[in-house]
Amino acid sequence: MTDPAIKPHLTREHVAELLRQMVRIRRFEEKCVELYQREKIRGFLHVYIGEEAIAVGIMQALAPADTVIATYREHGHAIARGVPMTTLMAEMYGKQEGCSRGRGGSMHVFDAKTRFYGGNAIVGGGLPLAVGTALADAMQKRPSVTACFFGEGAAAEGEFHESMNLAALWKLPVLFVCENNLYAMGTALALSESETDIHHKAESYRMPAEVVDGMDVVAVEAAARKAVVAIRAGAGPHFVECRTYRFRGHSMFDSELYRDKAEVERWKPHGPIERFGAWLRQNDILHEAAFQAIETEVAAEVEAAVAFAEAGTWEPVADLTKHVTLEPES
Amino acid sequence: MNEIAPARIKTTYREAVRAAIRDALTADPKAFLMGEDVGHYGGCYAVSKGLLAEFGPERIRDTPLSESAFVGAGIGAALNGMRPIVEVMTVNFSLLALDQILNNAATLLHMSGGQFNVPLVIRMATGAGRQLAAQHSHSLEGWYAHIPGLKVLAPATIEDARGMLLGALKDPNPVLIFEHVMLYNMEGEIAADAGAVETGKAAIRRPGRDVTLITYGGSLAKAMAAAETLAKERIEAEVIDLRTLRPLDTATIIGSVARTRRAVVVDEGWKTGSLAAEVTATIMEQAFWELDAPVARVCSAEVPIPYPRHLEQAALPQPESIAAAARATLGR
Ligand SMILES: Cc1ncc(C[n+]2csc(CCOP(=O)(O)OP(=O)(O)O)c2C)c(N)n1
């Protein structure tokens, strides 16, 4: 008998949940884009539209005591991990009711309750941190895993390679998740890597690594479950390269000079929600009413999040220099 | 007798930097630009937009996200006969290249007993004001100004954006140019034939006799606005734009303070250990007996830059805080 942790169990409830989570991310971010245009959200905004299957699939394999570290394109990871949409939206606004008290904004979502350690806006900056959280788990003999998400652009950074080596050398419980969307800002993968199969880089550090279709939420979940079971059993770090595509610009400032509109259009039908939805329909797994119910429920959740953020308050300027250092406990 | 007015053109700070890069690459076949997204993307702040089509991928060279490697490669290429202009997207990411800048670029000439110089220009965006939060809002030019072996420039005007790069390319040493992110959209007129400008000298942007406001880069406009406010109160502030942060033009600073007898130093870096501290100490060492009031500093608050606009603005020097500090030096 196989361990139930290893394989996704495709019950009607489970597939509906996978779809629901991806739709939550998609609709939340579509609202964020609109709010950005209305200048409610400022700074840099990087949306995850097209890549939702990765965060949703990976999170299925994680337990509450596990740790998550992501990048500046992390709204999807936060939502899939269970950060409430309300405090997340308040953070996007910069209100003090936000999950990071409004200090971080879109790129710096932090949430201790769900062990969500950011929201890192320095490319590659999260990888060494993940090595460290995993080291702490290992040294304290806890069975926890750190899931670390990053784009393929990070693979060019020294921090990526140093972290791969250290995690493998010390056999640390890290799940490295490379979200390969083919572009780092405007630089295509082929223009930035001599070896474009990113998972081979992990293999060169003697780390088990595999490639999955990052547009297929079930495939991502399956890969994550397999890897996490092995990591918990003490097999050391694992690497999953998820092949995906970013449907929108890098950020709200991107004029997308570096790729064809036609290329983007070609990808769109292969989007994770589009594809999973089509599969569920073709195989009569979910009825139209179930799709509708998800949309209705999510629309209400997004509206409630916006209302929460609108009703939020600005932190007083008198508190400006708070949260810089802590007083030592006496 | 009528003189023909020299032709002037409307431009922006961004276009001025682009025109300077174009001039540099046209004048010197060994010059090239390299950095993240300078080519296909068109530059993070659109500075190099269009240059890839003009000069090709050999000379407008996109790099991977490898700050340490491509800055180091710029140093190596400079050592070996090329004239690289390296763009580090922002000062925030230059931290990943700090080792190359400090341990190689700044020291090779000295370590080699004068044999190997590094004729390299590194440009980067700096500063806060766009609500990009703690990791994307640093002003670390003062750190770089700490390092012997480097020259550090901070163009605050369109003329300097147009001319400083060309000036820097005449320098046989590593030169860092800091372009404040809030300046790229600045519009103005410059002479159609504007070109290289002298570096190493500060400029008096507004003469005055009551107090000297000393600043650079993104804070210049704020100091000018403060001077305008003060003028209405019949306080004549002199505004000095440092332009070059290393080496500092102490003669201009001391000359001005000797006349006004009061100084306010404005710097977007954090106050502790800041460039403003260096300027202040220099005034103490060289003009102590000329002073009628303690030198004042207006710097960023001691906090990583927060995301919400009201807190970000509260953390940064502002015309009001500059004017208030100037009044205080006059006992007002
Ligand atoms: C060290 C560093 N260099 C440059 C940047 C600017 N930058 C932000 S995101 C990005 C592209 C990253 O691409 P990738 O890692 O593939 O992730 P994606 O944005 O595609 O999700 C760049 C160049 C940065 N934030 N950090």
Side-chain angles (χ1 to χ4, degrees):
Chain A
M1 225 183 74
T2 49
D3 184 331
I6 294 189
K7 274 199 165 166
H9 214 58
L10 294 182
T11 61
R12 182 161 298 149
E13 289 71 44
H14 187 59
V15 294
E17 179 57 13
L18 293 176
L19 179 68
R20 194 179 75 89
Q21 292 296 358
M22 292 196 291
V23 171
R24 288 178 72 225
I25 298 169
R26 179 74 59 97
R27 301 293 171 250
F28 177 87
E29 291 203 309
E30 285 167 349
K31 179 58 82 175
C32 287
V33 169
E34 183 193 320
L35 291 166
Y36 195 90
Q37 279 145 3
R38 286 165 49 199
E39 303 194 4
K40 296 283 186 180
I41 298 172
R42 304 272 68 203
F44 281 155
L45 176 70
H46 309 85
V47 294
Y48 195 52
I49 292 176
E51 309 184 33
E52 298 92 340
I54 302 170
V56 171
I58 299 286
M59 295 305 170
Q60 304 308 313
L62 300 185
D66 292 334
T67 296
V68 178
I69 295 180
T71 69
Y72 46 84
R73 197 183 298 288
E74 86 286 33
H75 318 133
H77 309 77
I79 289 172
R81 179 60 180 170
V83 177
M85 229 187 243
T86 45
T87 59
L88 182 61
M89 189 60 93
E91 190 58 38
M92 308 294 294
Y93 273 60
K95 299 284 180 80
Q96 60 182 334
E97 291 77 7
C99 53
S100 311
R101 281 191 81 83
R103 295 280 175 143
S106 162
M107 300 197 288
H108 304 297
V109 170
F110 289 85
D111 186 62
K113 281 197 210 80
T114 53
R115 301 189 57 77
F116 195 84
Y117 282 75
N120 201 308
I122 302 300
V123 171
L127 283 98
L129 284 185
V131 172
T133 55
L135 174 65
D137 281 331
M139 291 181 77
Q140 295 169 92
K141 312 251 179 300
R142 290 192 293 238
S144 299
V145 168
T146 295
C148 178
F149 296 85
F150 49 89
E152 86 292 343
E157 292 284 5
E159 290 190 332
F160 170 94
H161 294 274
E162 294 173 24
S163 301
M164 291 291 114
N165 182 49
L166 206 49
L169 183 70
W170 290 345
K171 293 214 170 341
L172 298 175
V174 188
L175 175 62
F176 290 105
V177 184
C178 177
E179 306 182 311
N180 181 357
N181 62 15
L182 301 177
Y183 292 92
M185 262 176 85
T187 303
L189 180 58
L191 295 180
S192 62
E193 291 291 340
S194 57
E195 170 57 82
T196 51
D197 282 323
I198 307 290
H199 60 285
H200 288 336
K201 296 175 196 292
E203 280 164 353
S204 77
Y205 293 100
R206 306 201 160 190
M207 190 184 302
E210 70 172 299
V211 193
V212 297
D213 178 352
M215 292 300 195
D216 179 348
V217 66
V218 175
V220 175
E221 179 184 345
R225 284 189 182 275
K226 199 174 87 187
V228 167
V229 165
I231 296 168
R232 283 202 216 286
H238 280 56
F239 192 99
V240 183
E241 177 189 345
C242 303
R243 299 258 167 95
T244 185
Y245 196 77
R246 150 164 79 61
F247 288 0
R248 303 288 179 103
H250 168 74
S251 71
M252 299 300 289
F253 293 102
D254 184 355
S255 40
E256 297 187 60
L257 303 172
Y258 51 86
R259 65 181 185 185
D260 263 352
K261 285 226 159 51
E263 178 185 305
V264 183
E265 289 310 313
R266 271 200 307 281
W267 271 92
K268 279 195 176 155
H270 304 289
I273 297 177
E274 294 75 1
R275 237 175 77 178
F276 195 51
W279 182 76
L280 292 172
R281 282 190 174 95
Q282 270 159 26
N283 294 286
D284 244 345
I285 301 172
L286 278 194
H287 292 295
E288 213 43 52
F291 284 95
Q292 267 316 314
I294 288 175
E295 290 292 350
T296 310
E297 182 211 307
V298 170
E301 189 186 9
V302 171
E303 277 320 305
V306 174
F308 181 84
E310 287 285 340
T313 53
W314 301 113
E315 193 172 4
V317 170
D319 291 352
L320 176 63
T321 57
K322 279 194 174 172
H323 323 296
V324 180
T325 49
L326 287 178
E327 289 306 315
E329 284 172 42
S330 50
Chain B
M1 229 175 59
N2 277 339
E3 265 193 66
I4 298 165
R8 293 183 71 77
I9 50 162
K10 265 205 161 128
T11 188
T12 63
Y13 187 97
R14 168 184 294 109
E15 287 165 8
V17 179
R18 185 185 306 142
I21 297 170
R22 183 182 289 121
D23 279 0
L25 267 59
T26 306
D28 183 354
K30 291 186 184 315
F32 66 101
L33 177 73
M34 97 174 134
E36 288 162 13
D37 288 304
V38 297
H40 294 84
Y41 188 87
C44 176
Y45 289 101
V47 166
S48 51
K49 198 166 168 177
L51 295 181
L52 174 64
E54 232 173 299
F55 294 99
E58 278 277 304
R59 301 184 72 202
I60 302 292
R61 194 172 270 267
D62 275 326
T63 67
L65 276 136
S66 310
E67 288 81 3
S68 187
F70 71 74
V71 170
I75 298 168
L79 282 170
N80 201 19
M82 294 302 285
R83 202 57 175 97
I85 303 168
V86 172
E87 175 177 311
V88 178
M89 209 177 257
T90 75
V91 67
N92 311 289
F93 319 140
S94 78
L95 299 181
L96 284 92
L98 190 51
D99 173 61
Q100 287 297 327
I101 297 172
L102 174 49
N103 278 323
N104 280 339
T107 58
L108 277 162
L109 180 66
H110 181 80
M111 291 192 296
S112 67
Q115 297 178 83
F116 294 127
N117 66 309
V118 181
L120 170 69
V121 173
I122 306 177
R123 298 174 36 243
M124 53 186 115
T126 187
R130 302 187 65 219
Q131 287 191 254
L132 302 184
Q135 293 181 332
H136 273 56
S137 301
H138 296 308
S139 290
L140 300 176
E141 50 280 359
W143 278 19
Y144 287 104
H146 179 64
I147 303 172
L150 301 181
K151 305 254 178 102
V152 179
L153 311 181
T157 64
I158 295 177
E159 259 97 2
D160 279 351
R162 183 72 178 81
M164 273 190 172
L165 174 68
L166 301 169
L169 285 167
K170 294 184 181 144
D171 200 307
N173 300 290
V175 181
L176 272 51
I177 304 181
F178 288 90
E179 300 161 8
H180 196 285
V181 289
M182 299 307 284
L183 296 177
Y184 286 121
N185 288 335
M186 182 167 76
E187 294 176 355
E189 274 193 1
I190 57 169
D193 63 351
V197 295
E198 191 185 8
T199 60
K201 288 263 185 301
I204 295 174
R205 299 292 183 200
R206 179 186 174 115
R209 58 183 150 70
D210 298 324
V211 55
T212 304
L213 310 180
I214 303 162
T215 191
Y216 67 90
S219 298
L220 175 62
K222 295 175 179 181
M224 294 296 276
E228 198 61 37
T229 305
L230 292 166
K232 292 187 190 119
E233 302 163 24
R234 278 187 273 148
I235 298 171
E236 296 302 329
E238 178 146 304
V239 179
I240 293 185
D241 172 4
L242 290 171
R243 298 180 68 246
T244 301
L245 310 186
R246 182 181 188 98
L248 277 174
D249 174 8
T250 47
T252 300
I253 298 170
I254 299 303
S256 172
V257 174
R259 275 183 280 109
T260 64
R261 311 182 82 84
R262 294 169 190 86
V264 177
V265 190
V266 184
D267 175 3
E268 202 177 296
W270 292 297
K271 190 184 234 176
T272 305
S274 58
L275 186 78
E278 178 60 29
V279 173
T280 305
T282 302
I283 296 170
M284 293 307 169
E285 287 168 347
Q286 299 186 28
F288 182 79
W289 303 109
E290 323 286 340
L291 290 174
D292 280 348
V295 177
R297 283 187 284 163
V298 181
C299 300
S300 283
E302 304 279 327
V303 60
I305 302 299
Y307 162 64
R309 183 170 167 80
H310 69 295
L311 293 181
E312 180 185 48
Q313 290 303 318
L316 303 176
Q318 298 295 351
E320 304 78 57
S321 51
I322 299 166
R327 279 183 211 109
T329 66
L330 286 143
R332 296 222 225 151

